[in-house]
Amino acid sequence: MSTDTAQLARTASSLFAAGQVSARALYAHHLAFLREKAGLSLQGLADQCHYEQSYLHRLETGGRLGTLTVAQALDRYYATGTLLAALWRLAKREAKHAANGLTALEAAATTIQEYALTTIPTLLQTPAYAEEHLTTSPQSPEALTAQIDALLQRQARLTEPTPHPLRYRAVLDELVLHRAARNPATWDGQLDHLITTAHHPNITLQLLPLHAGLHDLRGPLHLLTFRARNPLAYAHGTLTDHTTDDPDDLDELTRQYDQLRDLALTPAHTIEHLHTLRTT
């Protein structure tokens, strides 16, 4: 690694440690800096490394993170040791950590589209339903109370009086409604809350019936848009959650979500179905 590159790495580490720049932005900056330092155009680098010019451009602007294989290949080309691979790993780890911040993302979002596969969406849960759900994991009464309070604060955005209310759409897999709360009164209260909430003008609720058949979306998902940043997707996993703002990922996940929305019952028919469940 050259002296200039080593100095760049030290500066990057200092900025990242101070929280002044994201790891993803650092990775993109390094890619552009190293190419320009080598006197190459994007097309010239594409010809040398056999990657598409548009792909390299999106890496350098932060539009894509790409893969570790690409970072390692560019390390070899620029003779930068493991600098780019290390920055890529930092950016990847940063994205996983960011997935723990759904509450902050919700607070900044202007629209949220959600697919719920197994439980009532958090933003639509009653305190009683949330408590039953949360107590599936052992925790102290104090911790449980704190989580319920935090949940109510998150839900306040749905109904707060504002000129620009949060626009929220939830597609509920029918499996959600086949997994009722253990307490019948809790479940009745939850169904009543869904019916009431679905009448709010900024909230759209749709049920995806089992007879709709197979689809591409394999797990719970949030699609969020913002005023001051790029849209992103928040995918829920069994062990870890993950966020992405990669345009290709967003296009594909949005396509899958739109497919579910088209297969789902209309909002009016969803409310009718909820009324039927409530009275049976």
Side-chain angles (χ1 to χ4, degrees), residues 1-10 33-34 37 78-81 83:
M1 187 183 300
S2 70
T3 302
D4 287 346
T5 303
Q7 179 58 44
L8 184 63
R10 287 193 293 272
F33 173 84
L34 290 167
K37 184 172 180 291
Y78 292 125
T80 48
L83 171 65

Side-chain angles (χ1 to χ4, degrees), residues 116-129:
L117 179 60
T118 57
T119 59
I120 300 295
T122 305
L123 291 178
L124 302 179
Q125 292 179 6
T126 63
Y129 179 93

